[in-house]
Structures are given as C-alpha cells and as structure tokens.
Amino acid sequence: MKTRKLLIAVSAALAMGWAAGAQAADPVKIALVAELSGPAAALGQDKLDAFMMAVEQNGGKLGGVPVEVLARDSQLKPEVANQIAEELIEKEKVPIVTGISFSNIMMTMARKLDAANILVVGSGAGPAPLAGKRCLPNVFVVSKQNDQFAEAMGQYAADQGYKRIIAMAPNYQAGKDFVNGFKRTYTTPLVDEIYTPLNQLDFSAELSRISAEKPDAVYVFYPGGLGVSFVRAYKQAGLIDKVPLLSVSTVDGTTLPALKDTALGVMHASAWGPDLDNPVNRKFVADFEAKYHRIPSEYAAQSYDAAMLIASALAKTGGDVSDLQALRKAVAAADFKSVRGNFSFNTNQFPIQDFYAFKVVKGAEGNATLKTVSKVLKNSKDAYYQECKRS
C-alpha cells in the first residue's frame, strides 16, 4: 500500500513539477478519483496514466492553463469515496473531479459533488439513474451510459442469430445496467441471468450451471481482476472453444496482459479499440505504448478524452473556473478531437457515439490485442436521456 501511495504521489508530482519557480496564478486543481488498489487497480491506473500523459505532453497544462492533479484511491469502497468527496469539497476545494470507474462509487459521490457546485467529468461509470430521472446539472459523463456497451453486444448477438444465451455480471448497479442493456437489443428471452457478489473470484459453481445448460453463447460483464479470473476459469472449464464468450469491459488493455492467449477468440463491445483508424487515436495509442509499454484500455482512452475535454473547456474560459455556468457551457460544447472519432453530448450530458464489436486476436508482436469486427451502433443515444428533465 505504501508503494501504491508513492506511485500516486510521483505521478501527480510530474504534473506539478512545472510550478517550481514559476510566477503565475495558482493552478486549477483537478481531482482524479479511481480504484488504485485491489482487484480493480488496473482500471484506475490506466485512467491515471492516460490523464497524466495528456498533462505531461502539454507541459503541466490543459488548454494552456496550469493544472494540479490530485489522485485519490476510492478502493472501490463507497464509504471511502464519501470521505474523499468531503475532503475534495471542504479541504481541497477543487472545481473539477474526473475519473470514477464504478457505478456504486459514482452514485455515492455525484450528488454530493453536484450540490457543492463541483463539475464532474466522469470517465468511466455511467449509471442509468444519472442518465435519466436523477440527472444532475454539474455531472458530465465522457465515457458512455452503462447500457450502451451492452446494447452493442446485444445487437451483435442478435446479428449472429444466437437463440440461447446466459448472462452473467456482478450484483451491483452497473452489472444490472449491463444485462438490461444487452436485453434491449437482444430481444430473445435469456436462458438465465446469473448475478455474482461483487469481488467474487471463484466461478466454478456458475460455470457448472453453464455446462449443464449448453447455451449458444454466454454474455458477461466482469471488469478488471474479475475479468481475468472469469476468463481463466471459463478456459479451464473447457468452455471457451465450445460456447462463444461475448463480453463488455472484460477483455481489454487492463486484462489482456495477464490473460494473453487465454482470451483469444473472446468477443468484446466498446466505443473504442486500439485499431480505430483516426489520427488522434493512432497518436494516442503510439504515445501510450511508448511511455507505458502496454496497449491502452478503453479506460485509458476515456480518461485521455476527459483530459482533452477539460482542456477544451479551460481554453474557452481562460482558466476561470469561478463561473460554473460558463464552465458547464464550455464542457457541453465538447470542442475536442476524440480518440473515438465522432463525439458529442446528448441533452442529459452523456455521449452520442458509435459502438463496435471486437475480437481478441494475436497481434503482430505475438501479444493478445483487439481487432475491430464491425460497427454495430452508429450515433447511439442512451435509452434514458428523455427522462432527464434537468431545470
């Protein structure tokens, strides 16, 4: 834990090093909240690394404005996230918070930060309530609404003609969102829905049920360390070559380095992949690989986009974060080049974007990577935006 804290301090210090001896206004504080320890640490580290890369590439600035990045580890514990929110409001008085990978953490922090007039630029979690009836004026989500990845994979499953599918996910808000989203586009009734306790790493009982049911395919959402454990167990159970594994947020840059060839053939749906062919993405992937010696994940891509979005807003406001209405307007404009290509905000401040199906394949250097199979949703809007009646 001491090593982890040191790494966080060093990462944040890189962004602040420019300040020594500088004669300038105080930098804008940006808090990045992520899971930096425990099974989900890879997700948070990718977010932090991508965001810091953007800051470092711009000389400690975003949008020409000096910034100070405060990294905070939620530990995937709502009670810790609540303490962090209070610290950021009362002690640090930050104007902007980014990161936040998990929906239970977002649901814990969002309303408190919004009430304190802190702008949230979420780069991970996109829980359904915040996209719809419980939307908040100061909360923007740059990543996706949780259901959307699932809707993309549901559409892919429908296109493949699968008739009997079992869904599995952790038993919390995002897990339920990801199953509901899948069912929105894959309209054939599921054979079964299996919800496992969050942080459960032993799936032997559930895989025995799958073997007995003999479905056409299995659809899962298991991010971070959960995904590594699940895919390994699925392979060891002899299922990976018999029952197609369809996934979201399970096989990506955070898990493929550990899974390697174990994940070959697994399907994945997302708004981003390392082979998306646009200039911004090509540079982002090359820079990330050169700096960190691994392929970035969708979490890194989302966090990099969050940094570029914040940069565009700070450039528009000249670094003035005291006028919250002006800052919100600048963020809503989404005047930046996304690694995902086309990007805009819907009326609920969640993205409108394309979604793709990917397959885990062996890359040119022998490493496991993601290859685009097809675009399955174009300019997709989430299912809840019309419920958002923000005043």
Side-chain angles (χ1 to χ4, degrees), residues 63-148:
V65 177
V67 296
E68 177 184 351
V69 180
L70 308 177
R72 294 294 184 267
D73 180 9
S74 77
Q75 303 174 40
L76 194 48
K77 297 177 180 178
E79 64 274 18
V80 173
N82 188 60
Q83 293 170 3
I84 290 171
E86 291 177 355
E87 178 214 359
L88 297 178
I89 294 167
E90 297 171 9
K91 180 183 176 183
E92 298 295 349
K93 304 186 186 306
V94 301
I96 301 171
V97 172
T98 189
I100 314 179
S101 303
F102 284 77
S103 292
N104 56 341
I105 303 302
M106 176 64 88
M107 294 302 292
T108 297
M109 299 185 73
R111 188 165 295 279
K112 180 170 286 191
L113 295 172
D114 176 80
N117 288 326
I118 292 174
L119 192 75
V120 177
V121 181
S123 61
L130 295 184
K133 294 178 180 178
R134 294 163 64 184
C135 61
L136 298 167
N138 298 319
V139 175
F140 290 80
V141 172
V142 75
S143 50
K144 85 291 180 191
Q145 194 281 311
N146 286 346
D147 300 28
Q148 290 183 295

Side-chain angles (χ1 to χ4, degrees), residues 308-322:
M308 294 298 98
L309 173 63
I310 292 169
S312 71
L314 292 178
K316 285 179 179 291
T317 64
D320 181 5
V321 292
S322 63

Side-chain angles (χ1 to χ4, degrees), residues 162 215-219 234 239-246 265 267:
Y162 295 130
D216 292 342
V218 171
Y219 162 72
Y234 200 81
L239 290 168
I240 208 160
D241 296 321
K242 297 178 182 177
V243 183
L245 184 57
L246 316 178
M267 296 301 300

